[in-house]
Amino acid sequence: MILLKKLNFRYLKSVNKLFVLFIILFVSCSSNDSKNNTSQCNKYDDLKEYLHAISDSIHIESIKYVVYITEKGCPNCQSFFSDMASQHFINKKNTLLIINSYGQGIDISCFLSDTAKNIIFDYTDDFRDLGFFQYSGFIALNNNRIDTVIEINPTGIQDKIDYIIKRIN
């Protein structure tokens, strides 16, 4: 009987620890979501200010996708992403391409066209300083907020490209 009471006590003690751990994780995840939403709102406002500073004719409300192309990072990844962007995003009405490259590491000749209306060049790293990503990337906007941010790097690049293409079609 004494042995049984010790086992029950140990069992209850471990259940209590698990319960407390669960509560701590639940509360911390909830507060993280709240912080993340606030952070995303701030990032959206930062993006809006950035676009307004570049041009009065660019209105974030008309943009669904932002594509950032730079030659920083994995050269093959950036080149692969740049090629994909040139095929799918040039002159796409609801998309803004931000190019941060002089064309030394990736071919940007297709982005230099005078007829492309949705391309801006950022040689001062102002967009990169907003902190969305260090390398090339994709941002989806929805209902005046940031919906998706994808940075292009070697980890899962093909899956990322496939997701972006699927998302825009």
Side-chain angles (χ1 to χ4, degrees), residues 17-29:
K17 285 180 182 178
L18 287 173
F19 180 73
V20 169
L21 182 62
F22 173 76
I23 295 298
I24 290 171
L25 286 173
F26 179 76
V27 169
S28 71
C29 288

Side-chain angles (χ1 to χ4, degrees), residues 5 11 18 41 43 48-49 57 65-67 84 86 91 95 107 117 138 145-146 156:
K5 284 185 179 182
Y11 172 75
L18 287 173
C41 288
K43 291 274 191 188
K48 188 175 183 176
E49 287 177 29
S57 65
Y65 307 111
V66 176
V67 177
M84 183 279 300
S86 69
N91 287 325
T95 303
D107 180 16
K117 304 289 185 208
F138 170 85
R145 68 179 185 84
I146 294 170

Side-chain angles (χ1 to χ4, degrees), residues 19-147:
F19 180 73
V20 169
L21 182 62
F22 173 76
I23 295 298
I24 290 171
L25 286 173
F26 179 76
V27 169
S28 71
C29 288
S30 296
S31 68
N32 262 353
D33 288 345
S34 172
K35 288 177 187 173
N36 195 24
N37 286 339
T38 302
S39 174
Q40 292 293 19
C41 288
N42 292 340
K43 291 274 191 188
Y44 181 84
D45 291 340
D46 291 346
L47 179 60
K48 188 175 183 176
E49 287 177 29
Y50 167 81
L51 295 176
H52 182 69
I54 288 174
S55 171
D56 290 336
S57 65
I58 300 174
H59 302 285
I60 196 167
E61 296 79 17
S62 64
I63 297 171
K64 191 170 182 177
Y65 307 111
V66 176
V67 177
Y68 178 66
I69 297 173
T70 183
E71 53 196 13
K72 294 174 177 79
C74 164
N76 290 336
C77 302
Q78 306 316 322
S79 187
F80 185 56
F81 184 66
S82 176
D83 290 344
M84 183 279 300
S86 69
Q87 294 171 21
H88 294 280
F89 290 112
I90 291 179
N91 287 325
K92 189 170 178 83
K93 190 173 186 176
N94 60 357
T95 303
L96 178 66
L97 288 125
I98 302 171
I99 311 298
N100 176 264
S101 171
Y102 291 101
Q104 295 166 339
I106 58 174
D107 180 16
I108 62 166
S109 60
C110 57
F111 301 113
L112 299 174
S113 168
D114 290 337
T115 60
K117 304 289 185 208
N118 65 332
I119 299 174
I120 59 173
F121 290 87
D122 178 10
Y123 297 116
T124 59
D125 284 336
D126 289 340
F127 181 81
R128 187 173 181 215
D129 292 344
L130 294 176
F132 286 103
F133 17 67
Q134 295 177 2
Y135 312 117
S136 295
F138 170 85
I139 300 172
L141 305 172
N142 189 13
N143 295 324
N144 298 325
R145 68 179 185 84
I146 294 170
D147 182 61

